[in-house]
Amino acid sequence: GRSEQDIVGRLDVDLTSQARAEAFRRNDLAALNADTPIRVEQSMPSPSNENGLYEVIKTPLRDSTGRVVGVLGVARNVSVQRAAERRLIRINRLYKVLTEVNSLIAARPSRSELFKQVCQVVVDDGGLPLAWIGEPDPARRVLRPTARAGDASAYADEAILSMDDDPNGCGPGGRAFREGQPRVAHDFGSNTSMSPWR
């Protein structure tokens, strides 16, 4: 996305952040030390100035006498491809979770055992850090975790999820309970409905 005049004669640090310039330099040195082409993936701004993921082949560049005079880099934007691969991995994990949960249901364990096993499957096969199942506590008007799995299971015990349409009930758990429909918050960090639990 830059003109030749903006690039020729410049150092990486003139064109990007110090940290990114150092990463580029390490990749260049790795190609020189290997004395063979190497393939790396690195984040770089795309022509639209958004960060993209690029597959870069770096090759030692030699003059007619065989002396190394630089590094040739050829980059290909693989952002869309990698995003599709991550999506496919997530979908495959979800299918595995659904298959395992169906098997658990068919085995007809007790309700509490089923909930525990479902949470464990979601963590183990779904690759998620936390899974919990809550049941309503009408006296306190909250959803109380009755089963949990994962590293952050103590978090589930401390989180207050209201059954009512108030700030502690505006997240996907409270809404799913009240509306009887699945609700999803894809980004815990920026979704405003998740602010009571951050």
Side-chain angles (χ1 to χ4, degrees), residues 157-174:
D157 292 333
E158 296 169 10
I160 299 171
L161 278 89
S162 173
M163 292 167 52
D164 300 317
D165 190 8
D166 58 31
N168 285 333
C170 67

Side-chain angles (χ1 to χ4, degrees), residues 23-35 38 58 71:
F24 294 168
R25 178 91 172 138
R26 281 192 302 274
N27 292 336
D28 290 346
L29 291 172
L32 291 173
N33 290 333
D35 197 26
I38 65 165
K58 299 223 173 183
V71 175

Side-chain angles (χ1 to χ4, degrees), residues 37-161:
I38 65 165
R39 186 183 311 259
V40 296
E41 286 190 0
Q42 57 192 43
S43 174
M44 298 188 292
S46 66
S48 63
N49 214 22
E50 296 174 4
N51 276 336
L53 183 64
Y54 288 79
E55 178 182 71
V56 183
I57 299 173
K58 299 223 173 183
T59 307
L61 188 62
R62 300 177 184 281
D63 65 11
S64 59
T65 67
R67 183 174 62 96
V68 174
V69 293
V71 175
L72 171 66
V74 179
R76 176 175 71 104
N77 190 331
V78 293
S79 302
V80 172
Q81 179 184 348
R82 294 299 180 263
E85 289 169 358
R86 286 190 301 273
R87 183 174 183 273
L88 185 60
I89 288 168
R90 280 195 309 271
I91 288 171
N92 285 336
R93 281 182 177 165
L94 289 175
Y95 281 134
K96 186 170 184 184
V97 166
L98 288 173
T99 300
E100 292 295 323
V101 168
N102 283 333
S103 296
L104 290 172
I105 292 169
R108 298 181 178 260
S110 69
R111 179 183 175 96
S112 63
E113 189 59 32
L114 174 64
F115 287 174
K116 262 196 296 191
Q117 290 178 13
V118 166
C119 289
Q120 198 62 55
V121 164
V122 169
V123 169
D124 293 345
D125 295 336
L128 299 176
L130 169 66
W132 65 273
I133 293 176
E135 293 190 280
D137 181 342
R140 293 178 41 218
R141 301 293 303 159
V142 296
L143 296 173
R144 182 177 47 84
T146 55
R148 70 204 53 71
D151 294 337
S153 58
Y155 170 83
D157 292 333
E158 296 169 10
I160 299 171
L161 278 89

Side-chain angles (χ1 to χ4, degrees), residues 2-45:
R2 294 177 188 257
S3 68
E4 184 178 347
Q5 297 90 319
D6 288 340
I7 297 172
V8 173
R10 302 286 178 92
L11 300 173
D12 286 337
V13 75
D14 297 329
L15 303 170
T16 189
S17 70
Q18 180 73 34
R20 187 173 277 154
E22 288 172 5
F24 294 168
R25 178 91 172 138
R26 281 192 302 274
N27 292 336
D28 290 346
L29 291 172
L32 291 173
N33 290 333
D35 197 26
T36 187
I38 65 165
R39 186 183 311 259
V40 296
E41 286 190 0
Q42 57 192 43
S43 174
M44 298 188 292

